[in-house]
Amino acid sequence: MKTRRYIPFRHALYDLLSSMRFAISLLVVLSIASIIGTVLKQNEPYSNYHFEFGDFWFSIFEPIGLFDVYHAGWFLGILGFLVVSLSLCIYRHLPGFVREIKSYRASATANSLQLMQHHASGAGTPDQAAVLAHLKTAGFRWKIRDEDGAVLIAAKRGSWQKLGYFFAHSAMIVIFVGGLMDGNLPLKIRELFGNKVAETRDLPQSKVPPQSRLDAGNGSFRGNVTLAEGGGADVVFINSGNGYFVQELPFVLKLKQFHVEHYSTGQPKKFASDIEVLDRVSGKRITSGTVEVNKPLVVDGVAIYQSSFGDGGSGLTFARWDLATGQKTALAGRSQAAQAIRIGNDDYTLETGDLRVFNIENMGKPAAQTSTVAVSQLEQTLQSARSVKADHNLRNLGPSIQFKLRDSAGQATEYLNYLAPFNDEGTLYLVTGMRRAVSDAFAFVRIPLDDAAEVDTFQRLRATLLDAKNWPEIARRTADKAFKDGAFSATNHREFQAVAQNVLQQFALGGFPALERFLDAKVPKEQRQNVAQTYLKILQGAAIDAMELAQQRAGLPTLTMDAAHYRFLMDSLVANSALFDYGPPVYLQPTGFTEVKSSGFQLTRSPGKNIVYLGSILLVLGIFCMFYVREERLWLRMAGGRTLIAMSSNRRNRDFDREFERHRDALLPQEPGDAA
Amino acid sequence: MTAATLNLRSRSPFDFAFAVLMVIACGIAFARYNPYMDYYEQAILLGATLALIAFGWFWRAMRTFLPVCALVALTGIYIYQGDLARGQTAFWLKYMLASQSLVMWMCVCFFLATAMFWLGMLRRSATALSIGVGLTWAAATAALSSALVRWYESYLIGSDVGHIPVSNLYEVFVLFCLITSLMYLYYAARFNARSMGAFVLLVISAAVGFILWYTFDRQAHEIQPLIPALQSWWMKIHVPANFIGYGAFALSAMLGVAQLLVSRGILTTRLPSYDTLGEVMYKAISVGFLFFTIATILGAAWAADAWGGYWSWDPKETWALIVWLNYAAWLHVRLVKGWRGEVLAWWSVVGLLVTTFAFLGVNMFLSGLHSYGGL
């Protein structure tokens, strides 16, 4: 007859939970979940996930918490099970370990000793005092048992090894408890019961309703706030899923000033905020100080960290150049803001972004090095591999402002305009970049500056050159000059003038690309090269005449045609051509700014931190004891004129073999007997 | 280890001479640089001195190795005479003692050592194995000296630029080579198993290949100043502790490969025994695990200072946890379940893949706070 052995469910559950198999399975699941959390970017705005996975997958991923794996209920559940498993494991093993640590196993018989792998015996009886002295130096503790004429010295050392197990495993529980205190579990629970709801609307902080606000008494939190210089806040924001909570602070945080320092290479060297902490009610200063990266300031149990920085809304002034008319007006604005702007007959929104005061760029290898032909490639490579000092050609391009012009249909063109002239081997330009999509690189236009380092002459030339009313006059002047020089003696003056006028017209339609399109359409392929050369010459000549005309009309002296001015005119043609593909016809030339920086802070209150550290110390201590303390037991049994020595250890390896030999040779009487 | 190391009576005069030397070195460093150090750094200096003494007493070869490296580095520093440009003109610096020259010598020695180990193992030539060990020592000397000289060079670039050379991927790869090779040398001597070098040096050679590519293709050897997040004394202890872990795990994985070959009857007579390989593998993992634990805890403590929380589930942190869990499980099945053999060998090989991902892959493929060592 077969009897089914009945195991009560309670015991079976206990066995399962305290088994190592279970613990290891949990570890594996935990690892896999953690991997998912690193591969899938966590806590992004939900719109990003919608975009990336589509609505279907989003509706599956979102409820199971894949966008915040580490705070998902099931993840915390696994951690909880792990703690239960560990606790039971400790509970199960602790009594046995305590017995082991206490016991000397002084009841070992000669037989049981002889069954041990490490044992030896010899004739004679060693001097007990000498034995004990030896054991003492070796760090053993012992117990002596005298029975039926047999003396047994039972010794042991390294009990810490067993304690190590206890330390390491309880450390995990301690760390978990500490982590739980600092985690957002209480908040999650309050969310679950509908007590608190994350705010998803973009509201001013004071308008956020009470169910999304957490009071200053909240035991643990970790939130962020960004302050402009001179600004203050008594709340931080805590991200939660698709929304946020407003956490009230026990004080008011005020940013006096933010500093950035750079190395000579342009990399950031120091971010520091001078802050003041004020009382919420009285406004009295509680403390003040400087917060730096790696140097937080702790006030009232709340640690204040430097976490980011930016532009806090600086005052900006622009010269607004209407590209259609060449007119200049002043425009004032503020960074990180939006304002309406009318360009021609269209309404636009000017969305100003960051003011960047320093733009340190690597301009590539210095020219002197690359032009040295004698230096071979290999030698240069070796030379550079030997030197630890980077020789980069760094240049500060000065302040820049990034902004967007958005039309009424919502289409935006983005610009990056520099305030200071860019000096290219003695010639000055103002640089402006334009792009239509954030993913594109900026296409840069270099606007040449006149002798006074201003844009005015360029704009004057542009207005004259592109105005159809002026073309007959410019073309006439160009033709007159051409015939005076005798360069085109075979051509009829009027024909030449017509051609010049056409060149001007084509250029005014869309710059060099328009001219090229015209040539492609009208001129047979084999002649195109020659005709293009001629057109270019005519255009260059016309540019000189247009400049002359523009200066005369403005009542200004004409430019002498030296190399620098000629280059200015040619650069102007290039810039004009590029400005045909520049979005709305306006160039906002930055002319000044008053910088206001902003600083991002993270404020945390983490009461569990010290508990976690305590657990960490326990963990290291435990691991050290477990691996580097060898628990050893030694028995010396003296009976009937013979001595038996035996040793056992929790870990048998070569070191232990050697250890055994050492004690055997020291403790056993001189003539070796039947050594194992 | 501890009891034997700290037992003063069993110490030789040489041990005490070494200790005195270390104390003097510490004293000089303290006297010269005391004003520039904060309390933490003074504590680290003291701790480092004690650790070096213990290290020299624990492993006697260090009593020679460390002073030799110091001597090489000091010679280089002396020839610099405070002028970085001399690195390109002074003969001894240009070809021998500048940090980059030393790194190149390290690379050469490691490649040659790998070749000698394979020759020695395949032809059962004790001479070749001895030469391999000698070359490995030379490479380790070059590696440590180069790091010391580089440390000095960084201050020559600018007093605000100077920092300990463990701040970017290039610098830690040299550290990785140093630590892995030293661990090999220790176990090779202790278990009389030099032929392990054929496998261990493979992973070092791979790292050396990376260093060369990184130098010539990306100019990664150039010393960069520290960004604010890295300006902390935590870096001095967090990074080296981590690399003891990485080095140990890499070593154990290569021994895993050797063990798997031996278990299939390949190179059986040329490699150490199956059991020896298993034991060294276990020892390396237990050392690595201890230091990796310490490094992760130090990292958490640093994160609490720099990022506002000791644990943010940042990809680097999470992968460190995965590596930690992996080896914790490995040790459990060996110690508690008493597993031996092939599964553990395979596991340690896979462990290296996990570790490599945590070390490199995270920086390359995943973004996060810990993005200092990008390629």
Side-chain angles (χ1 to χ4, degrees), chain A residues 294, chain B residues 229-230 232 234-235 238-239 297-307:
Chain A
N294 274 314
Chain B
L230 291 179
S232 169
W234 286 109
M235 186 176 77
H238 166 66
V239 180
I297 291 167
L298 293 175
W302 185 5
D305 262 5
W307 302 336

Side-chain angles (χ1 to χ4, degrees), chain A residues 182 263 305 384 388 602 655, chain B residues 190 221 223 226 229 304 307 310:
Chain A
D182 289 344
Y263 292 104
Y305 298 90
S384 118
V388 290
Q602 183 165 97
D655 295 336
Chain B
R190 194 171 151 82
H221 59 280
I223 295 174
L226 289 182
W307 302 336
Y310 49 82

